[in-house]
Every structure is written in C-alpha cells, then in structure tokens.
C-alpha cells in the first residue's frame, strides 16, 4: 500500500472515530503518569494484540465473544487489518486500562488476583452498555459496523460476549502484570475517572437513542463500584 493511501485511510479512521482517539489520548496521558511511559507502551501493545486475536477469532469461530461479522461498509474509508477495523482492538487498550485502574483504585492494591479479577469484571460491565449500543450503531454516528447472525437475548447480544470480555480483560491485565512486574508508579485515580467518563459517554448515547432500559442496566457499574469502595 502506498504511503499516501495509508495516510488517507488513517485520516479516514480519525474522521470516522474521533471519540475513540479522544479516549485514546486521555488513556495515554493517564497511563503514562500511572505506569510510566515504557510500561504504558507495553500495556498498549499487549492489549491491542490480545484484542486483535480475540476479534479475529470471534469473527471466524465465535471464540471468545461469540460469532459475529463486520459489515465492511467502511472498508476503503478506514484502516482494516484482515476483516477487523483497526480502531476496534485499539479501543480495548483504554477500556482495559480504565478497568484496571478502577480495580486498583477501589481495592487499594497495585496488583494480585483480586485486582485482575475485578478489572475483568468491571470491563465486562462496561460492555453491557457498549455492545448493545454498537449493534444499534445505525441509530447513532457509529453506523452499522457489525452484527451477530443469530442475535442474542441481551439487547440483541449473546451472553457469551460478556464472558469473552471478562476473559480478555483478565488476559490483558494478568499478562501485563506478569510481563511488567506490576505498576511502576501506582497513580490510578485518573484512569478510574476515565472509566466513568467512558461509561457516561455511552450512557448519554443510550438516552439519545431512547434505550432507557439499557440506561438503567448501565448504571449498575457505578453502583457496584460504589459498594466495593465502602
């Protein structure tokens, strides 16, 4: 691919998904202050790789998220790797970090199995809003990005998807802790607020498209985190 074509696709990706790159920038600033830049880059690369493998596998054999397919309607407008839009696994970097930061913040620990377990659970709670919104992307500015051919019982999403998100969260956070030896500086507060900012953005979208029941379910995340912090 010519450099000019790659640049055009990169600009197209930015234009189609500005909110993703806004959250990505906030993540990089928070993670750099929290983990140190070297470890933040390690977390980014590891999270992206795990997420890409999970996306690639799920769109072929349904593991770990359940079987789904990208529509490819934006191919030629944004960067794709195989059949996966580049931005999609990229979003897992800040989602996993935000859940990791919130887990440490709530538990007052820098690592360990409890942090790993809670991080995956909080990441799954985020997805209980994110994925139902994404399959309704034609009703907001995401567009019709992907679909589950057999639908699902939870707002059109199969329950296997949420187990998959928890597993991916555990692999990302657990793998990072093993490779890095733990957080370098331990300042997770900004990352915890990033979690709530991402949640608030998605809850606002549920209101915009009139999915008030989904809004109620999405409020479980701050309720549960509040209970844990008591």
């Amino acid at each position: 691919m010519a450099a000019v074509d790659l640049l055009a696709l990169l600009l197209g990706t930015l234009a189609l998904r500005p909110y993703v790159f806004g959250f990505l920038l906030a993540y990089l600033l928070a993670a750099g202050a929290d983990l140190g830049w070297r470890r933040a880059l390690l977390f980014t690369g590891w999270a992206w790789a795990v997420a890409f493998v999970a996306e690639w596998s799920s769109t072929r054999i349904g593991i770990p998220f359940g079987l789904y397919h990208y529509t490819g309607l934006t191919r030629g407008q944004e960067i794709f790797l195989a059949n996966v839009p580049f931005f999609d696994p990229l979003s897992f970097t800040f989602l996993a970090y935000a859940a990791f930061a919130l887990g440490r913040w709530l538990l007052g620990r820098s690592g360990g199995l409890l942090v790993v377990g809670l991080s995956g659970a909080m990441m799954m709670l985020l997805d209980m809003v994110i994925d139902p919104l994404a399959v309704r992307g034609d009703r907001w500015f995401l567009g019709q990005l992907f679909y589950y051919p057999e639908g699902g019982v939870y707002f059109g999403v199969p329950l296997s998807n949420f187990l998959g998100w928890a597993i991916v969260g555990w692999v990302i956070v657990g793998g990072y802790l093993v490779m890095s030896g733990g957080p370098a500086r331990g300042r997770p507060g900004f990352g915890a607020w990033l979690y709530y900012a991402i949640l608030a953005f998605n809850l606002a979208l549920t209101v915009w498209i009139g999915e008030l029941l989904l809004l109620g379910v999405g409020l479980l995340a701050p309720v549960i985190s509040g209970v844990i912090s008591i």
Side-chain angles (χ1 to χ4, degrees):
M1 181 182 295
V4 66
D5 294 330
L6 182 60
L7 178 60
L9 288 175
L10 177 59
L11 292 175
T13 304
L14 289 168
L16 284 170
R17 321 289 177 211
Y19 56 96
V20 171
F21 291 96
F23 284 130
L24 180 65
L25 177 59
Y27 150 68
L28 289 172
L29 293 174
D34 176 20
L35 309 176
W37 286 106
R38 182 180 64 83
R39 296 189 181 194
L41 291 175
L42 170 64
F43 189 96
T44 302
W46 170 243
W48 186 92
V50 171
F52 176 76
V53 170
E55 295 268 4
W56 187 91
S57 174
S58 294
T59 55
R60 286 163 171 78
I61 60 174
I63 297 174
F65 300 130
L67 184 65
Y68 66 94
H69 303 295
Y70 284 102
T71 62
L73 294 176
T74 57
R75 188 177 289 277
Q77 298 176 265
E78 63 175 320
I79 298 173
F80 273 72
L81 295 178
N83 62 315
V84 178
F86 173 77
F87 90 92
D88 202 49
L90 189 64
S91 66
F92 278 78
T93 61
F94 57 78
L95 295 172
Y97 169 74
F100 175 43
L102 181 61
R104 287 182 292 136
W105 191 50
L106 292 174
L107 295 173
R109 301 184 179 197
S110 62
L113 290 178
L114 279 178
V115 168
V116 174
L118 183 57
S119 299
M122 298 309 295
M123 188 170 168
M124 179 189 69
L125 285 175
L126 268 182
D127 189 56
M128 290 180 71
V129 182
I130 291 173
D131 249 280
L133 277 172
V135 297
R136 291 162 173 78
D138 57 339
R139 293 166 57 185
W140 54 286
F141 44 83
L142 177 67
Q144 190 177 0
L145 184 66
F146 73 99
Y147 64 95
Y148 294 94
E150 298 182 1
V153 298
Y154 179 81
F155 297 98
V157 179
L159 296 181
S160 59
N161 176 71
F162 304 110
L163 176 60
W165 270 66
I167 291 171
V168 167
W170 293 330
V171 171
I172 290 173
V173 173
Y176 164 77
L177 288 173
V178 169
M179 289 185 288
S180 69
R185 301 180 185 179
R187 297 170 57 187
F190 288 117
W193 283 110
L194 176 62
Y195 181 97
Y196 291 119
I198 294 167
L199 179 63
F201 172 78
N202 284 277
L203 291 179
L205 288 174
T206 67
V207 175
W208 185 18
I209 67 174
E211 291 286 349
L212 299 185
L213 180 57
L214 182 57
L215 170 67
V217 173
L219 291 173
L220 285 174
V223 170
I224 292 173
S225 63
V227 170
I228 295 172
S229 66
I230 294 175

